[in-house]
């Protein structure tokens, strides 16, 4: 398997624009996580899915953020409208079912909102 | 609820010296614990994990960690640091009591000096 695939790797957008980040998890994995990493706040869990169903979205900063998982092989994280403070690296990770299994991370999307 | 605390956001050691990165956890049920490493501009990769089979866990690159229930700790060690160990290290906890959510600590930046 190619691992967790995220696109794009880099995104630069203007404030107010819509941004969509994409993630393809490892085939067969039941869990998918979206994290945001910044210098100030570290690695924050935004939302995670189990079998395509959102389980906990308490980490989503505000209504401008939304995430979907229409099928087992694809998820999106959308920010609309984007703001400069959304600039961060966004990681997607996936894992098999069970608490004793590790999550595998994608390379991340570096988002810059100007 | 579950959480991890990493003491020391920055640790500096000399090449060849012992590496000790601290992690304490909080969990209402038996936890599964993980150490990840992140090199610059890359995603996170698993170093090792504790899944209750053995309290002393060996990982990649000569790292190991010991689970101590009495101290609620899972410190990461390496007997002799190498320049290539310079990176950021994250401790994480996952438990069925937490809905299988994977929660990270704030990270420790390891610097290795000649």
């Amino acid at each position: 398997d190619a691992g967790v695939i995220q696109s794009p790797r880099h995104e630069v957008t203007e404030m107010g624009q819509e941004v969509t980040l994409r993630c393809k998890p490892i085939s067969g994995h039941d869990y998918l996580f979206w994290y945001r990493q910044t210098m100030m706040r570290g690695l924050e869990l935004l939302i995670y899915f189990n079998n395509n169903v959102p389980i906990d979205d308490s980490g989503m900063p505000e209504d401008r953020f939304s995430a979907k998982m229409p099928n087992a092989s694809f998820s999106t994280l959308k920010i609309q409208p984007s703001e400069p403070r959304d600039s961060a690296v966004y990681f997607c990770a996936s894992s098999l079912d069970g608490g004793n299994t590790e999550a595998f991370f994608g390379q991340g999307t570096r988002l810059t909102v100007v | 609820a579950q959480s991890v605390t990493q003491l020391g956001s920055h640790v500096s050691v000399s090449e060849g010296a012992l590496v000790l990165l601290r992690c304490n956890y909080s969990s209402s049920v038996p936890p599964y614990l993980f150490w990840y490493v992140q090199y610059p501009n890359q995603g996170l990769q698993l170093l090792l994990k504790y899944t209750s089979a053995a309290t002393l866990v060996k990982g990649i690159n000569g790292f190991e960690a010991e689970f101590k229930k009495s101290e609620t700790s899972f410190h990461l060690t390496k007997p002799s640091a190498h320049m290539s160990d310079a990176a950021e290290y994250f401790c994480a906890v996952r438990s069925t009591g937490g809905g299988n959510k994977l929660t990270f600590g704030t990270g420790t930046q390891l610097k290795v000096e000649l």
Side-chain angles (χ1 to χ4, degrees):
Chain A
D1 202 312
V4 177
I5 299 173
Q6 291 186 248
S7 64
R9 289 293 311 276
H10 302 272
E11 177 81 40
V12 180
T13 190
E14 292 186 346
M15 183 175 62
Q17 295 299 304
E18 176 181 303
V19 175
T20 299
L21 311 181
R22 297 172 174 80
C23 174
K24 177 178 171 29
I26 293 173
S27 178
H29 281 192
D30 303 286
Y31 282 82
L32 185 140
F33 305 85
W34 281 101
Y35 291 90
R36 178 173 69 176
Q37 187 176 35
T38 60
M39 290 290 291
M40 293 297 295
R41 302 174 70 92
L43 197 61
E44 304 172 274
L45 177 62
L46 300 178
I47 185 171
Y48 74 103
F49 297 82
N50 180 212
N51 291 323
N52 313 337
V53 176
I55 302 301
D56 184 346
D57 65 354
S58 60
M60 297 285 262
E62 48 197 274
D63 292 345
R64 297 184 298 106
F65 286 69
S66 63
K68 294 182 179 179
M69 192 163 186
N71 57 61
S73 59
F74 184 64
S75 178
T76 59
L77 178 68
K78 184 179 294 186
I79 308 172
Q80 180 185 23
S82 58
E83 296 183 2
R85 60 193 168 120
D86 301 330
S87 297
V89 180
Y90 291 82
F91 287 104
C92 176
S94 70
S95 80
L96 291 167
D97 196 4
N100 62 343
T101 60
E102 66 270 30
F104 293 82
F105 279 75
Q107 291 294 296
T109 295
R110 182 174 296 276
L111 173 65
T112 303
V113 184
V114 298
Chain B
Q2 59 183 33
S3 65
V4 289
T5 302
Q6 292 184 242
L7 296 176
S9 59
H10 291 82
V11 170
S12 183
V13 300
S14 300
E15 190 174 35
L18 171 72
V19 175
L20 170 62
L21 305 182
R22 299 179 185 275
C23 173
N24 289 87
Y25 70 90
S26 173
S27 177
S28 58
V29 298
Y32 300 110
L33 297 161
F34 307 83
W35 275 100
Y36 282 81
V37 61
Q38 184 181 32
Y39 298 101
N41 299 314
Q42 294 189 26
L44 281 72
Q45 67 180 85
L46 183 72
L47 270 180
L48 49 82
K49 65 179 181 181
Y50 166 74
T51 59
S52 76
T55 56
L56 182 62
V57 182
K58 294 187 184 298
I60 62 171
N61 301 339
F63 284 92
E64 62 182 39
E66 186 171 9
F67 174 74
K68 292 187 177 180
K69 185 177 178 181
S70 61
E71 299 177 7
T72 61
S73 69
F74 190 57
H75 302 331
L76 182 70
T77 60
K78 181 174 181 178
S80 177
H82 191 272
M83 296 296 289
S84 60
D85 295 327
E88 188 155 22
Y89 293 80
F90 293 90
C91 182
V93 62
R94 194 174 188 190
S95 70
T96 53
N100 282 330
K101 177 167 55 177
L102 183 62
T103 303
F104 283 86
T106 51
T108 297
Q109 187 72 45
L110 175 66
K111 182 178 180 181
V112 182
E113 299 174 318
L114 287 171

